[in-house]
Amino acid sequence: MKYLHAMIRVHDLEKTSRFLTEGLGLKQTRRMDSEAGRFTLVYFGAPENPEAEIELTYNWPPEDGSAPEDYGSARNFGHLAFEVNDIYAICAHLQSLGVTINRPPRDGRMAFVRTPDLISIELLQKGEALAPAEPWASMPNTGTW
């Protein structure tokens, strides 16, 4: 058996793609548009292990003009986790892009953010935890993750 990918349904493919590439530094590995099925699949991998992919599934809006399917708050999914070289740097970078740090890395080890479609992303410091540092050490949690 071989792990392939995790699939996430999204309402805004471009916004979530930007979050994954510009925010987290993932690379798009492939894309498929299905006219017949009225959906687009886009795959992303982390630079250090691109074979373990995230698949974004974008179901095109209904042809009859009705509202798109409600995917809920995505809390039933759980989260995706990424090991990062510098948790403070990635959190600062995400903040500069307007991303809320829901659970700041107060311990120098772990943080949580959410994608534009409310998928929780856990960020874990590679190796040992960094020494607690401001502004993270005193930053409160925001929202849910």
Side-chain angles (χ1 to χ4, degrees), residues 43-66:
Y43 294 83
F44 298 85
E48 292 186 29
N49 62 329
E51 70 284 356
E53 296 175 311
I54 295 172
E55 171 194 324
L56 298 184
T57 297
Y58 172 68
N59 294 309
W60 300 356
E63 291 182 287
D64 65 4
S66 61

Side-chain angles (χ1 to χ4, degrees), residues 122-134:
E122 179 182 19
L123 303 170
L124 293 167
Q125 174 63 42
K126 184 176 184 177
E128 297 296 318
L130 301 180
E134 294 298 340

Side-chain angles (χ1 to χ4, degrees), residues 28-54:
Q28 181 177 318
T29 57
R30 54 198 162 111
R31 179 186 181 117
M32 184 193 83
D33 295 301
S34 173
E35 292 282 338
R38 299 188 43 75
F39 64 86
T40 299
L41 305 179
V42 184
Y43 294 83
F44 298 85
E48 292 186 29
N49 62 329
E51 70 284 356
E53 296 175 311
I54 295 172

Side-chain angles (χ1 to χ4, degrees), residues 48-129:
E48 292 186 29
N49 62 329
E51 70 284 356
E53 296 175 311
I54 295 172
E55 171 194 324
L56 298 184
T57 297
Y58 172 68
N59 294 309
W60 300 356
E63 291 182 287
D64 65 4
S66 61
E69 181 181 351
D70 179 11
Y71 300 138
S73 68
R75 293 294 295 158
N76 60 332
F77 173 79
H79 66 266
L80 301 172
F82 293 94
E83 181 180 72
V84 299
N85 290 324
D86 184 333
I87 197 160
Y88 297 145
I90 190 72
C91 286
H93 174 67
L94 288 166
Q95 251 186 346
S96 77
L97 296 175
V99 175
T100 299
I101 309 301
N102 301 99
R103 193 280 191 193
R106 289 184 294 274
D107 56 2
R109 171 94 183 117
M110 178 183 68
F112 275 89
V113 296
R114 294 180 91 183
T115 72
D117 283 284
L118 306 178
I119 302 298
S120 292
I121 305 287
E122 179 182 19
L123 303 170
L124 293 167
Q125 174 63 42
K126 184 176 184 177
E128 297 296 318

